[in-house]
């Protein structure tokens, strides 16, 4: 707390973290902060008392996700925003009452600077949008009023279900709705059903509705068990729509290999605008020039390096390695269409034993970060064999090469079938087979695949449109130079660098043809999609605890996991 002269006069400790401060209509300042009791944490709102220089004793427990709080009106003590939906806090019930969603008014909540709900229920808002054409911010004063639905032009409504909306999707929905006169997209964000005790409640509710036949027209597929749903015929095959889209250019306009891998039995159930690759990198003279290997081959390569050589980094532990391996090999263990699984197979038993060769835990708090060796030093000194490589950009290829200090091979995780590298996808869109207007839905979904969308929205991964990918490649291969003032020599300029705790620094330059070829070889070798299923992961985690403690064998553990996951699969209907 500061006085009128700007001098600090008091400090109020906040044990679990301050969220924000807000001045409500009573003219008083309130703080929202975290409070912890036993095993649960929640946020409360309390007045900041400048006289006692402390929080008031009265604390209001805030509803779930009420992170952004605003002054209320005559009816509500305060308002709060949950992912673009505005709620009024009812002091009697202690719960929020839904007032409106910005998207329902064809407004992107990310562009709203300020707003207020007036006494008559109308909303006054200030919108701020950046114009690329005019290269300046444009401000709009918006008034929102509730009116009888019969007084506005009627449009066909397509529902889009999601678990949170990313900025790009939200923006595209607003643009689509503002440009259409016959159809509009209505968003149902299932994250609103999450609770303090269950952050999966929204996803579970969506899954229950889908499996009971209440399927939205369009779905944002992030976090959805696509394999599970696809086996039930829930989604529309998008290949015919892509092939018929002459403006897009059909499937030849896309990174076809990726979408072929995403397809199930020749049918494509979702489209994505970008992708990355999860793999394992090692020096070619250590792991060989190949794109896959078995666990035995990995152990032989490790033995050839001598004693006391770790496979990965010091913080890689049993459970983490197993989760990653399962995510890479999910397709080979579960057949959702036939409701079968094979977690008692030798392949999974080998996977358990591989994960068990790593440390059980890593002491993050007591680890000596100041004197420890960086991953760069460990690799160069021969103490570490491999890196878990996440290839989000062409830069990452060059980074891995410099990290290992020589020619590298993207060999992937050990596996007896397929390939140990996989595509990592997110933020996909799907159309349900029950969609009442597939053509209208496709007119929106196709946006994700266009060159314009993927080049204008600053993809932080690899584009899936072939022309956008080629432009990204060309841009990545442009080398900038500076002239040495003494010799006149042209010296390449580093685009950026990566630093390590021991002072080592890796400079990144323009991509070479050799590095591009290495990426494309990795890309073409991938034949699976990284897949995470919360329920499956929980079962595996629970049953492997005793195994990692040495209380059960890999075979016993695999049998228990097989029985539980078989039951779970059949329970899904």
């Amino acid at each position: 707390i500061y006085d009128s002269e700007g001098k600090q006069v008091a400090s109020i400790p906040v044990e679990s973290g301050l969220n924000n401060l807000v001045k409500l209509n009573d003219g008083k300042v309130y703080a929202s902060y975290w409070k912890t009791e036993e095993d649960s944490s929640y946020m409360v709102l309390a007045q900041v008392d400048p006289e006692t220089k402390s929080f008031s004793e009265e604390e209001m427990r805030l509803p779930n996700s009420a992170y952004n709080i605003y002054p209320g009106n005559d009816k509500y003590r305060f308002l709060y925003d949950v992912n673009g939906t505005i709620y009024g806090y009812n002091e009697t019930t202690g719960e929020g009452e839904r007032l409106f969603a910005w998207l329902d008014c064809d407004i992107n909540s990310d562009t709203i600077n300020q707003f207020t709900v007036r006494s008559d229920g109308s909303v006054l808002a200030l919108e701020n949008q950046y114009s690329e054409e005019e290269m300046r911010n444009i401000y709009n004063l918006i008034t929102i009023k509730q009116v009888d639905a019969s007084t506005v032009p009627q449009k066909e409504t397509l529902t889009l279900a999601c678990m949170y909306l990313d900025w790009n999707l939200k923006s595209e929905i607003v643009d689509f709705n503002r440009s259409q006169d016959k159809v509009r997209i209505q968003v149902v964000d299932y994250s609103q059903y999450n609770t303090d005790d269950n952050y999966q409640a929204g996803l579970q509710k969506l899954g229950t509705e889908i499996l009971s036949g209440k399927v939205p027209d369009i779905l944002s597929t992030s976090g959805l068990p696509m394999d599970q749903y696809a086996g039930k015929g829930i989604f529309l095959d998008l290949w015919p729509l892509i092939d018929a889209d002459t403006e897009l250019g059909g499937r030849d306009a896309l990174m076809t290999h990726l979408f072929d891998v995403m397809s199930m039995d020749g049918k494509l159930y979702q489209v994505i605008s970008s992708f990355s690759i999860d793999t394992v990198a090692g020096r070619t003279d250590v792991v060989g020039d190949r794109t896959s290997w078995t666990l035995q081959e990995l152990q032989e390569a490790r033995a050839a390096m001598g004693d006391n050589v770790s496979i990965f980094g010091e913080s890689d532990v049993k459970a983490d390695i197993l989760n990653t391996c399962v995510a890479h090999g999910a397709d080979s263990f579960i057949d959702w269409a036939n409701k079968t699984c094979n977690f008692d197979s030798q392949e999974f038993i080998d996977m358990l034993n591989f994960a068990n060769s790593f440390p059980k835990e890593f002491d993050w708090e007591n680890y000596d970060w100041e004197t420890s060796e960086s991953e760069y030093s460990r690799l160069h000194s021969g103490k570490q064999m491999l890196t878990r490589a996440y290839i989000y950009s062409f830069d990452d290829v060059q980074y891995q090469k410099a990290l290992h200090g020589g020619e590298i091979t993207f060999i992937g995780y050990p596996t007896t079938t397929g390939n140990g590298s996989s595509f990592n996808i997110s933020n996909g869109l799907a159309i349900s087979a029950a969609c009442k207007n597939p053509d209208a839905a496709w007119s929106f979904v196709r946006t994700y695949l266009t060159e314009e969308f993927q080049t204008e929205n600053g993809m932080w991964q690899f584009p899936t449109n072939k022309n956008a990918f080629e432009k990204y490649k060309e841009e990545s291969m442009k080398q900038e130079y500076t002239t040495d003032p003494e010799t006149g020599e042209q010296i390449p300029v580093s685009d950026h660098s990566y630093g390590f705790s021991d002072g080592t620094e890796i400079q990144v330059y323009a991509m070479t043809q050799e590095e591009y070829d290495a990426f494309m070889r990795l890309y073409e070798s991938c034949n699976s999609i990284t897949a995470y299923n919360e329920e499956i992961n929980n079962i595996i985690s629970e049953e492997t605890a005793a195994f990692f403690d040495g209380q059960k064998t890999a075979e016993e553990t695999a049998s228990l996991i097989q029985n539980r996951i078989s039951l779970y699969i059949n329970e899904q209907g």
Side-chain angles (χ1 to χ4, degrees):
I1 300 177
Y2 293 84
D3 64 15
S4 59
E5 302 298 323
K7 296 173 62 177
Q8 182 177 325
V9 296
S11 176
I12 302 175
V14 186
E15 292 182 5
S16 301
L18 181 72
N19 182 50
N20 64 9
L21 296 173
V22 60
K23 186 176 182 181
L24 298 185
N25 289 347
D26 58 8
K28 299 174 182 177
V29 175
Y30 292 78
S32 62
Y33 52 89
W34 289 97
K35 194 165 185 178
T36 301
E37 290 184 354
E38 297 180 352
D39 296 330
S40 64
S41 296
Y42 54 89
M43 278 199 302
V44 297
L45 189 70
Q47 180 195 341
V48 180
D49 190 334
E51 298 298 326
T52 63
K53 299 178 177 60
S54 63
F55 292 132
S56 61
E57 293 185 4
E58 179 189 3
E59 293 177 333
M60 290 181 285
R61 179 166 177 168
L62 294 174
N64 181 50
S65 300
Y67 302 113
N68 301 312
I69 300 173
Y70 306 91
N73 56 12
D74 296 340
K75 185 175 181 181
Y76 301 105
R77 180 77 173 275
F78 61 85
L79 312 176
Y80 62 94
D81 181 334
V82 179
N83 301 319
T85 299
I86 305 301
Y87 295 83
Y89 180 75
N90 186 318
E91 286 191 88
T92 303
T93 64
E95 296 180 352
E97 296 179 357
R98 188 182 190 277
L99 301 183
F100 67 93
W102 295 108
L103 273 179
D104 290 343
C105 308
D106 298 336
I107 296 171
N108 185 343
S109 59
D110 295 333
T111 65
I112 298 299
N113 278 12
Q114 302 175 45
F115 78 94
T116 184
V117 178
R118 297 185 285 196
S119 58
D120 63 357
S122 63
V123 179
L124 193 64
L126 184 65
E127 181 186 50
N128 175 17
Q129 290 183 309
Y130 183 77
S131 171
E132 292 286 350
E133 293 181 0
E134 300 183 34
M135 297 182 67
R136 67 181 182 90
N137 288 325
I138 295 178
Y139 293 89
N140 295 313
L141 193 62
I142 297 172
T143 302
I144 302 172
K145 294 181 180 180
Q146 190 172 29
V147 298
D148 191 301
S150 63
T151 65
V152 296
Q154 298 301 298
K155 296 181 181 181
E156 180 181 6
T157 299
L158 298 176
T159 57
L160 186 151
C162 67
M163 288 294 300
Y164 305 105
L165 278 178
D166 66 41
W167 191 92
N168 286 332
L169 179 56
K170 190 183 300 182
S171 180
E172 289 302 315
I173 291 171
V174 169
D175 290 345
F176 180 85
N177 284 345
R178 289 183 176 183
S179 67
Q180 301 292 315
D181 56 4
K182 295 182 180 179
V183 64
R184 75 182 311 276
I185 292 173
Q186 181 175 345
V187 175
V188 181
D189 187 343
Y190 280 78
S191 66
Q192 65 183 293
Y193 300 109
N194 290 346
T195 67
D196 289 335
D197 299 324
N198 185 3
Y199 283 92
Q200 294 293 314
L203 187 59
Q204 291 164 357
K205 179 177 175 61
L206 173 59
T208 299
E209 291 183 356
I210 288 176
L211 294 177
S212 66
K214 184 182 176 182
V215 187
D217 298 293
I218 305 171
L219 297 98
S220 173
T221 61
S222 292
L224 296 186
M226 293 298 292
D227 288 353
Q228 178 181 345
Y229 291 165
K232 300 179 180 298
I234 289 172
F235 300 118
L236 189 70
D237 179 14
L238 301 180
W239 275 132
L241 295 173
I242 291 173
D243 290 334
D245 195 327
T246 55
E247 183 181 352
L248 178 66
R251 69 178 70 192
D252 290 340
L254 308 177
M255 299 294 288
T256 313
H257 172 63
L258 165 67
F259 287 101
D260 284 340
V261 173
M262 288 173 56
S263 299
M264 304 175 191
D265 296 325
K267 296 181 179 180
L268 181 67
Y269 295 120
Q270 63 174 319
V271 296
I272 57 172
S273 59
S274 63
F275 69 96
S276 61
I277 298 177
D278 289 353
T279 185
V280 169
R283 281 177 60 107
T284 305
D285 57 8
V286 172
V287 305
D289 186 19
R290 49 189 170 181
T291 56
S292 64
W293 57 352
T294 64
L295 177 58
Q296 181 179 348
E297 289 169 335
L298 183 154
Q299 298 292 13
E300 290 172 353
R302 180 191 184 187
M305 294 182 69
D307 299 331
N308 301 319
V309 177
S310 69
I311 296 176
F312 294 126
E314 295 177 286
S315 62
D316 291 305
V317 296
K318 299 176 187 291
D320 189 23
I321 294 296
L322 181 59
N323 285 339
T324 301
C325 288
V326 170
H328 281 256
D331 291 346
S332 63
F333 295 123
I334 301 177
D335 183 345
W336 287 102
N338 295 310
K339 300 180 182 178
T340 61
C341 62
N342 60 332
F343 284 93
D344 55 356
S345 64
Q346 188 60 47
E347 181 180 3
F348 187 70
I349 292 172
D350 290 343
M351 190 177 288
L352 287 174
N353 286 321
F354 173 62
N356 200 35
S357 67
F358 290 83
K360 183 183 177 183
E361 297 176 339
F362 179 74
D363 190 350
W364 291 93
E365 291 185 4
N366 298 313
Y367 186 74
D368 189 351
W369 296 98
E370 293 185 3
T371 61
S372 63
E373 284 187 281
S374 68
E375 188 171 47
Y376 178 91
S377 298
R378 286 170 50 80
L379 288 163
H380 281 250
S381 64
K383 294 181 180 179
Q384 181 175 327
M385 179 183 178
L386 307 168
T387 55
R388 300 168 69 187
Y390 304 95
I391 311 300
Y392 292 95
S393 68
F394 290 125
D395 289 351
D396 293 324
V397 177
Q398 190 174 132
Y399 169 77
Q400 288 294 330
K401 184 177 177 181
L403 192 61
H404 285 266
E407 294 304 315
I408 59 169
T409 297
F410 292 113
I411 197 166
Y413 291 86
T415 176
T416 57
T417 59
N419 179 278
S421 303
S422 62
F423 290 117
N424 189 30
I425 63 176
S426 60
N427 299 328
L429 288 177
I431 300 175
S432 74
C435 178
K436 48 187 172 287
N437 191 339
D439 290 337
W442 175 247
S443 67
F444 172 74
V445 170
R446 70 180 297 279
T447 305
Y448 261 33
L449 299 177
T450 62
E451 178 183 354
E452 179 183 13
F453 176 85
Q454 295 185 19
T455 53
E456 289 184 357
N457 284 286
M459 296 288 103
W460 57 278
Q461 299 184 106
F462 296 100
T464 61
N465 179 284
K466 195 173 293 183
N467 286 340
F469 182 88
E470 286 298 317
K471 285 185 177 180
Y472 176 49
K473 168 195 169 184
E474 292 172 5
E475 189 64 30
S476 298
M477 298 184 81
K478 287 181 181 178
Q479 180 61 63
E480 299 291 334
Y481 293 89
T482 186
T483 303
D484 188 310
E486 296 182 1
T487 65
E489 179 184 1
Q490 291 290 96
I491 302 174
V493 177
S494 169
D495 183 62
H496 59 276
S497 64
Y498 297 95
F500 295 91
S501 58
D502 59 5
T504 305
E505 193 171 74
I506 293 176
Q507 300 293 331
V508 177
Y509 296 88
M511 177 177 63
T512 65
Q513 184 63 45
E514 180 185 19
E515 290 161 352
Y516 174 74
D517 292 341
F519 170 80
M520 290 307 297
R521 185 186 183 199
L522 170 63
Y523 168 81
E524 294 293 346
S525 73
C526 289
N527 57 14
S528 64
I529 304 296
T530 306
Y532 294 94
N533 183 298
E534 189 76 20
E535 293 296 332
I536 299 294
N537 287 353
N538 287 341
I539 291 173
I540 292 175
S541 177
E542 291 167 8
E543 295 299 337
T544 52
F547 169 63
F548 289 151
D549 283 337
Q551 299 172 6
K552 284 187 172 66
T553 66
E555 289 75 12
E556 290 172 331
T557 303
S559 178
L560 292 169
I561 292 173
Q562 171 70 11
N563 291 337
R564 286 191 61 185
I565 294 182
S566 293
L567 180 62
Y568 169 73
I569 291 173
N570 283 281
E571 285 176 345
Q572 298 310 297

PDB file of all heavy atoms in Angstrom, residues 58 183 202 267 456 516 527 556 569:
ATOM      1  N   GLU A  58     -13.825 -11.116   6.223  1.00  0.00           N
ATOM      2  CA  GLU A  58     -14.835 -11.722   5.361  1.00  0.00           C
ATOM      3  C   GLU A  58     -14.204 -12.089   4.011  1.00  0.00           C
ATOM      4  O   GLU A  58     -13.661 -11.242   3.304  1.00  0.00           O
ATOM      5  CB  GLU A  58     -15.997 -10.761   5.126  1.00  0.00           C
ATOM      6  CG  GLU A  58     -17.080 -11.335   4.219  1.00  0.00           C
ATOM      7  CD  GLU A  58     -18.109 -10.307   3.808  1.00  0.00           C
ATOM      8  OE1 GLU A  58     -17.953  -9.127   4.191  1.00  0.00           O
ATOM      9  OE2 GLU A  58     -19.041 -10.668   3.088  1.00  0.00           O
ATOM     10  N   VAL A 183     -26.213 -18.723 -42.175  1.00  0.00           N
ATOM     11  CA  VAL A 183     -25.783 -19.718 -41.196  1.00  0.00           C
ATOM     12  C   VAL A 183     -24.806 -19.080 -40.215  1.00  0.00           C
ATOM     13  O   VAL A 183     -24.101 -18.131 -40.571  1.00  0.00           O
ATOM     14  CB  VAL A 183     -25.118 -20.930 -41.913  1.00  0.00           C
ATOM     15  CG1 VAL A 183     -23.853 -20.512 -42.623  1.00  0.00           C
ATOM     16  CG2 VAL A 183     -24.845 -22.062 -40.932  1.00  0.00           C
ATOM     17  N   GLY A 202     -15.730 -31.337 -17.790  1.00  0.00           N
ATOM     18  CA  GLY A 202     -16.279 -30.871 -19.065  1.00  0.00           C
ATOM     19  C   GLY A 202     -16.064 -31.874 -20.174  1.00  0.00           C
ATOM     20  O   GLY A 202     -16.978 -32.165 -20.966  1.00  0.00           O
ATOM     21  N   LYS A 267     -10.123 -43.271 -44.046  1.00  0.00           N
ATOM     22  CA  LYS A 267     -11.047 -42.161 -43.819  1.00  0.00           C
ATOM     23  C   LYS A 267     -10.393 -41.119 -42.912  1.00  0.00           C
ATOM     24  O   LYS A 267      -9.778 -41.465 -41.903  1.00  0.00           O
ATOM     25  CB  LYS A 267     -12.346 -42.659 -43.210  1.00  0.00           C
ATOM     26  CG  LYS A 267     -13.119 -43.604 -44.134  1.00  0.00           C
ATOM     27  CD  LYS A 267     -14.414 -44.062 -43.504  1.00  0.00           C
ATOM     28  CE  LYS A 267     -15.187 -44.975 -44.458  1.00  0.00           C
ATOM     29  NZ  LYS A 267     -16.462 -45.444 -43.857  1.00  0.00           N
ATOM     30  N   GLU A 456      -0.796 -16.345 -42.472  1.00  0.00           N
ATOM     31  CA  GLU A 456      -1.109 -15.087 -41.801  1.00  0.00           C
ATOM     32  C   GLU A 456      -1.186 -15.220 -40.287  1.00  0.00           C
ATOM     33  O   GLU A 456      -1.108 -14.222 -39.576  1.00  0.00           O
ATOM     34  CB  GLU A 456      -2.433 -14.521 -42.326  1.00  0.00           C
ATOM     35  CG  GLU A 456      -2.355 -13.991 -43.750  1.00  0.00           C
ATOM     36  CD  GLU A 456      -3.649 -13.356 -44.197  1.00  0.00           C
ATOM     37  OE1 GLU A 456      -4.621 -13.384 -43.403  1.00  0.00           O
ATOM     38  OE2 GLU A 456      -3.696 -12.833 -45.323  1.00  0.00           O
ATOM     39  N   TYR A 516      17.438 -29.892 -44.231  1.00  0.00           N
ATOM     40  CA  TYR A 516      16.081 -30.071 -44.751  1.00  0.00           C
ATOM     41  C   TYR A 516      15.847 -31.523 -45.142  1.00  0.00           C
ATOM     42  O   TYR A 516      14.778 -32.099 -44.843  1.00  0.00           O
ATOM     43  CB  TYR A 516      15.843 -29.156 -45.948  1.00  0.00           C
ATOM     44  CG  TYR A 516      14.518 -29.394 -46.623  1.00  0.00           C
ATOM     45  CD1 TYR A 516      13.326 -28.978 -46.037  1.00  0.00           C
ATOM     46  CD2 TYR A 516      14.447 -30.059 -47.858  1.00  0.00           C
ATOM     47  CE1 TYR A 516      12.111 -29.206 -46.647  1.00  0.00           C
ATOM     48  CE2 TYR A 516      13.229 -30.290 -48.476  1.00  0.00           C
ATOM     49  CZ  TYR A 516      12.061 -29.866 -47.867  1.00  0.00           C
ATOM     50  OH  TYR A 516      10.854 -30.100 -48.472  1.00  0.00           O
ATOM     51  N   ASN A 527       4.867 -42.919 -38.985  1.00  0.00           N
ATOM     52  CA  ASN A 527       3.656 -43.631 -39.413  1.00  0.00           C
ATOM     53  C   ASN A 527       2.645 -43.777 -38.280  1.00  0.00           C
ATOM     54  O   ASN A 527       1.819 -44.679 -38.289  1.00  0.00           O
ATOM     55  CB  ASN A 527       4.005 -45.007 -39.986  1.00  0.00           C
ATOM     56  CG  ASN A 527       4.781 -45.876 -38.998  1.00  0.00           C
ATOM     57  OD1 ASN A 527       4.846 -45.562 -37.814  1.00  0.00           O
ATOM     58  ND2 ASN A 527       5.365 -46.953 -39.497  1.00  0.00           N
ATOM     59  N   GLU A 556       3.303 -59.727 -14.540  1.00  0.00           N
ATOM     60  CA  GLU A 556       2.141 -59.571 -13.657  1.00  0.00           C
ATOM     61  C   GLU A 556       1.475 -58.219 -13.868  1.00  0.00           C
ATOM     62  O   GLU A 556       0.237 -58.111 -13.914  1.00  0.00           O
ATOM     63  CB  GLU A 556       2.583 -59.694 -12.193  1.00  0.00           C
ATOM     64  CG  GLU A 556       3.008 -61.096 -11.787  1.00  0.00           C
ATOM     65  CD  GLU A 556       3.622 -61.134 -10.403  1.00  0.00           C
ATOM     66  OE1 GLU A 556       4.225 -60.114  -9.984  1.00  0.00           O
ATOM     67  OE2 GLU A 556       3.498 -62.166  -9.729  1.00  0.00           O
ATOM     68  N   ILE A 569     -12.560 -50.544 -22.002  1.00  0.00           N
ATOM     69  CA  ILE A 569     -12.930 -50.435 -23.420  1.00  0.00           C
ATOM     70  C   ILE A 569     -14.360 -50.922 -23.636  1.00  0.00           C
ATOM     71  O   ILE A 569     -15.153 -50.302 -24.360  1.00  0.00           O
ATOM     72  CB  ILE A 569     -11.940 -51.237 -24.294  1.00  0.00           C
ATOM     73  CG1 ILE A 569     -10.571 -50.572 -24.283  1.00  0.00           C
ATOM     74  CG2 ILE A 569     -12.454 -51.357 -25.727  1.00  0.00           C
ATOM     75  CD1 ILE A 569      -9.493 -51.372 -24.985  1.00  0.00           C
TER      76      ILE A 569
END
